[in-house]
């Protein structure tokens, strides 16, 4: 999915949250929903995406398939620890519970932002909804690794 789509949807949700409950909630949704894919940048650059500011800005408007065609790299499994941690429902749970316990509307809204992001990503990753559980990924690691090698948006586990 294009990063700009995440940014636009999170901006709209943040505007609503800001009007309803203030700027900390708006900031949480905007930052965590719109910019969660920052964890992909290192992987894309190491796979062949030029690291110039112009190219990085241009890439915000491209989906993964367009990036692959334009910059001749193959999408694969990101090796950074941030990808599995940031792209899972357990992270949503941690943010929301931490926000509730600490009385932080920013953290609670950050969890909502991550959830919004994940819902938008469902078709972009192998196995659909189960993929977004780090626990499920650990249990089904072998099957996931096999499916990941050939996945397209319609593959289900």
């Amino acid at each position: 999915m294009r990063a700009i789509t995440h940014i636009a949807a999170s901006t709209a949700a943040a505007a609503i949250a800001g009007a309803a409950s203030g700027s900390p909630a708006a900031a949480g949704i905007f930052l965590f929903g719109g910019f969660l894919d920052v964890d992909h940048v290192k992987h894309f650059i190491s796979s062949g995406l030029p690291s110039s500011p112009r190219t990085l800005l241009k890439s915000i408007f491209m989906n993964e398939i367009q990036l692959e065609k334009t910059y001749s790299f193959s999408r694969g499994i990101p090796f950074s620890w941030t990808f599995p941690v940031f792209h899972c429902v357990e992270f949503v749970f941690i943010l929301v519970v931490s926000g509730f316990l600490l009385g932080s509307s920013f953290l609670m809204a950050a969890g909502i932002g991550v959830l919004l992001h994940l819902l938008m990503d469902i078709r972009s990753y192998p196995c659909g909804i189960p993929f977004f559980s780090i626990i499920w990924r650990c249990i089904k690691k072998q099957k996931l690794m096999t499916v990941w090698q050939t996945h397209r948006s319609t593959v289900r586990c």
Side-chain angles (χ1 to χ4, degrees):
M1 170 164 291
R2 290 174 176 87
I4 194 65
T5 306
H6 287 299
I7 294 167
S10 296
T11 300
I16 294 167
S21 46
S23 59
I29 291 175
F30 176 70
L31 292 173
F32 282 76
F35 297 94
L36 192 67
D37 283 340
V38 72
D39 63 354
H40 298 313
V41 173
K42 182 179 178 185
H43 175 71
F44 285 166
I45 289 172
S46 68
S47 298
L49 181 71
S51 61
S52 71
R54 181 180 177 187
T55 302
L56 293 174
L57 182 61
K58 183 179 172 184
S59 73
I60 291 171
F61 298 92
M62 302 170 85
N63 65 29
E64 295 89 349
I65 294 169
Q66 291 168 325
L67 286 168
E68 288 175 356
K69 287 180 181 177
T70 303
Y71 298 105
S72 301
F73 68 86
S74 295
R75 188 172 27 156
I77 303 166
F79 294 106
S80 171
W81 65 268
T82 58
F83 177 77
V85 171
F86 289 171
H87 283 77
C88 71
V89 293
E90 292 84 356
F91 185 50
V92 173
F93 179 77
I94 289 167
L95 287 169
V96 171
V97 169
S98 297
F100 179 76
L101 293 174
L102 298 171
S104 171
S105 62
F106 174 80
L107 288 175
M108 285 190 279
I112 292 167
V114 172
L115 183 59
L116 172 63
H117 185 99
L118 297 182
L119 289 171
M120 294 173 71
D121 270 357
I122 287 173
R123 295 188 52 126
S124 298
Y125 291 96
C127 305
I129 294 170
F131 175 83
F132 294 102
S133 168
I134 201 165
I135 295 168
W136 180 88
R137 284 186 235 154
C138 289
I139 293 169
K140 299 286 188 172
K141 183 176 181 177
Q142 191 61 40
K143 181 174 180 89
L144 179 59
M145 296 301 279
T146 301
V147 172
W148 187 278
Q149 302 304 321
T150 59
H151 92 280
R152 291 295 171 243
S153 61
T154 57
V155 175
R156 298 287 179 230
C157 289

